[in-house]
């Protein structure tokens, strides 16, 4: 009889009170109101940020790091004798990169130098002949002066003895001798004057010969300079500092003028070209600040400024530009290349190379940035080069 009594007492124990439906509804409403308030605050914050800042930011991922690379090629032909650089090596401006076999160019230069020496001897000989001719002219002029003096003396003797002959103080034979001497003196004077004219006429010939020798010397010197240039051009040097890339030159290879040997990439002078849609460039001006996100730097932000905008869209400079004046027309949003000067920190320089993809954000709030260049002034950084 005791077991039924315990069961009845357990059945009669009161249970915990359950939450009422009105309490659950109130709690749900509070959560919804709180969540809505948070969402509204976040939306308001984003809206204010967009209104103040975001609506002026123009972004594109159609942007790539670039550099004005230089293709290295020889100016003369020849077999490659030595290659002084390796792949990806850093080089300085003027550093020797490749040397061609220069034996034939050395021989040509030696021949030209010998020809110059020969022409210099011709000039010296012609000048000496001209100086000698001037001495001959002076000698002939002196002989003319002497003959003229003799002629005057002979004439004076004839005049002095003529009255004596008429008075009988002198003989006719004496007069004849004096007249004969006068005639010989006149003949000698005429001969000397003719010889002087001959010597003087030779001066023009010798001066012409000297001018010809000097002209031939100039031709020889020009040929020697060309031969020297060819000899110097057998050593191919870097025209700018950078890193060696795309090296295809090998020892023993025959290189023609203009043959690509390697490329020098000026990684220290990087810039950025971003292709913005035409709907994005309305407020874009040189000098506006730019934020860059390079994929290779894992999201690390770089900074720069707008350097310049292209004078035409990319399609205008394509190899086959669009002909929109014919056939059916479909409007396509064009893109305008924008060149951006990049401030590269030293720790990022080894990583940044031409061709890397970049996400660009241009702040267009300031339509007249203080860093904008004055029209007609020289660029602040040559070719948009990057400076750390």
């Amino acid at each position: 009889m005791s077991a039924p009594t315990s069961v009845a007492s357990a059945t009669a124990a009161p249970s915990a009170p359950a939450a009422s439906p009105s309490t659950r509804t109130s709690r749900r409403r509070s959560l919804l109101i709180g969540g809505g308030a948070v969402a509204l605050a976040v939306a308001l914050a984003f809206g204010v940020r967009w209104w103040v800042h975001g609506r002026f930011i123009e972004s594109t991922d159609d942007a790539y790091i670039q550099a004005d690379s230089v293709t290295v090629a020889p100016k003369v032909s020849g077999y490659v004798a030595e290659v002084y650089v390796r792949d990806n090596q850093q080089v300085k401006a003027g550093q020797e990169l490749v040397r061609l076999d220069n034996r034939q160019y050395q021989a040509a230069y030696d021949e030209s130098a010998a020809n110059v020496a020969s022409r210099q001897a011709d000039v010296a000989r012609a000048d000496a002949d001209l100086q000698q001719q001037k001495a001959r002219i002076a000698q002939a002029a002196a002989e003319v002066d002497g003959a003229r003096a003799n002629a005057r003396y002979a004439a004076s003797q004839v005049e002095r003895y003529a009255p004596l002959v008429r008075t009988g103080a002198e003989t006719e034979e004496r007069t004849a001798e004096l007249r004969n001497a006068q005639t010989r003196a006149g003949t000698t004077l005429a001969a000397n004057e003719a010889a002087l004219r001959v010597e003087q006429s030779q001066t023009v010939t010798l001066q012409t010969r000297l001018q010809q020798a000097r002209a031939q010397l100039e031709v020889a010197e020009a040929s020697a300079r060309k031969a020297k240039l060819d000899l110097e051009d057998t050593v191919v040097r870097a025209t700018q500092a950078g890193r060696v890339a795309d090296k295809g030159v090998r020892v023993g290879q025959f290189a023609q003028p203009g043959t690509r040997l390697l490329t020098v990439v000026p990684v220290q002078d990087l810039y950025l070209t971003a292709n913005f849609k035409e709907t994005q460039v309305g407020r874009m001006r040189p000098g506006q600040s730019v934020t860059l996100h390079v994929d290779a730097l894992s999201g690390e932000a770089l900074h720069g400024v707008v350097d310049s905008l292209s004078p035409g869209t990319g399609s205008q400079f394509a190899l086959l530009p669009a002909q929109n004046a014919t056939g059916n027309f479909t409007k396509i949003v064009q893109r305008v290349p924008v060149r951006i000067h990049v401030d590269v920190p030293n720790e990022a320089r080894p990583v940044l190379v031409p061709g890397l993809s970049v996400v660009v954000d241009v702040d267009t709030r300031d339509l007249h940035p203080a860093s904008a260049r004055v029209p007609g002034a020289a660029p602040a950084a040559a070719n948009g080069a990057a400076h750390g």
Side-chain angles (χ1 to χ4, degrees):
M1 294 299 291
S2 60
T5 302
S6 62
V7 172
S9 61
T11 304
S15 60
S20 64
S22 61
T23 302
R24 288 196 299 269
T25 301
S26 177
R27 186 180 302 170
R28 186 179 299 112
R29 183 181 299 110
S30 299
L31 291 175
L32 290 177
I33 291 174
V38 172
L40 180 61
V42 172
L44 182 61
F46 274 102
V48 171
R49 179 177 175 80
W50 176 86
W51 180 259
V52 175
H53 179 73
R55 67 192 180 106
F56 298 105
I57 303 300
E58 299 293 349
S59 302
T60 184
D61 58 359
D62 188 358
Y64 305 93
I65 294 177
Q66 294 185 355
D68 296 329
S69 303
V70 174
T71 299
V72 177
K75 297 180 181 179
V76 296
S77 60
Y79 288 94
V80 177
E82 291 183 86
V83 179
Y84 299 117
V85 294
R86 62 183 185 277
D87 291 323
N88 307 323
Q89 177 180 337
Q90 185 75 28
V91 297
K92 300 179 180 179
Q95 182 176 337
E96 297 181 355
L97 304 177
V98 178
R99 184 179 68 83
L100 304 180
D101 186 1
N102 63 356
R103 289 176 295 177
Q104 60 177 349
Y105 297 103
Q106 183 67 54
Y109 174 69
D110 294 341
E111 181 181 357
S112 299
N115 191 22
V116 168
S118 176
R119 296 306 179 186
Q120 289 174 342
D122 292 342
V123 171
R125 183 174 63 242
D127 186 65
D129 292 343
L130 181 59
Q131 299 302 323
Q132 184 178 6
Q133 186 62 29
K134 290 180 179 179
R136 290 176 180 174
I137 292 175
Q139 180 181 1
E143 291 177 354
V144 168
D145 292 338
R148 185 175 291 113
N150 290 335
R152 285 197 301 267
Y153 176 75
S156 66
Q157 286 293 89
V158 171
E159 292 178 359
R160 186 159 66 99
Y161 280 93
L164 297 177
V165 172
R166 287 194 297 271
T167 60
E170 284 290 344
T171 63
E172 291 289 341
E173 292 181 358
R174 180 60 177 168
T175 304
E177 290 177 358
L178 292 176
R179 291 187 182 278
N180 185 32
Q182 182 182 13
T183 302
R184 289 198 305 270
T187 303
T188 302
L189 175 61
N192 289 338
E193 288 178 342
L196 176 61
R197 289 192 294 271
V198 170
E199 296 295 345
Q200 289 175 338
S201 64
Q202 288 295 323
T203 302
V204 178
T205 302
L206 293 177
Q207 287 177 342
T208 304
R209 187 179 301 170
L210 177 59
Q211 292 176 354
Q212 182 180 6
R214 287 174 175 170
Q216 292 176 346
L217 174 60
E218 292 178 357
V219 172
E221 288 175 342
S223 179
R225 287 195 297 270
K226 181 179 181 302
K228 184 178 180 180
L229 287 176
D230 291 342
L231 180 61
E232 293 175 350
D233 288 339
T234 57
V235 177
V236 183
R237 302 176 183 272
T239 58
Q240 63 180 1
R243 287 166 60 184
V244 175
D246 198 21
K247 185 173 75 71
V249 60
R250 298 291 183 271
V251 174
Q253 170 185 347
F254 183 77
Q256 292 280 7
T259 303
R260 184 188 60 78
L261 302 179
L262 51 90
T263 302
V264 175
V265 182
V267 292
Q268 71 282 355
D269 296 329
L270 299 175
Y271 61 92
L272 186 71
T273 299
N275 302 297
F276 285 92
K277 296 179 181 179
E278 57 185 318
T279 56
Q280 296 178 290
V281 298
R283 295 178 54 88
M284 206 169 291
R285 302 290 186 273
Q288 292 173 340
S289 62
V290 182
T291 302
L292 313 173
H293 299 277
V294 184
D295 295 349
L297 296 180
S298 301
E300 180 182 351
L302 301 180
H303 300 282
V305 294
V306 175
D307 183 81
S308 60
L309 279 73
S310 173
T313 63
S315 62
Q316 290 297 309
F317 305 107
L319 182 61
L320 297 175
Q323 299 295 331
N324 295 330
T326 60
N328 296 329
F329 170 72
T330 301
K331 182 178 180 180
I332 300 175
V333 178
Q334 301 297 310
R335 289 187 177 267
V336 179
V338 177
R339 183 163 176 154
I340 297 173
H341 167 75
V342 185
D343 296 325
V344 183
N346 292 330
E347 59 273 12
R349 287 185 181 276
V351 180
L352 295 184
V353 294
L356 293 181
S357 301
V358 182
V359 177
V360 178
D361 297 328
V362 178
D363 190 348
T364 64
R365 282 177 293 182
D366 191 357
L367 289 177
H368 304 283
S371 58
R373 292 198 298 268
V374 178
N383 296 328
H387 298 279

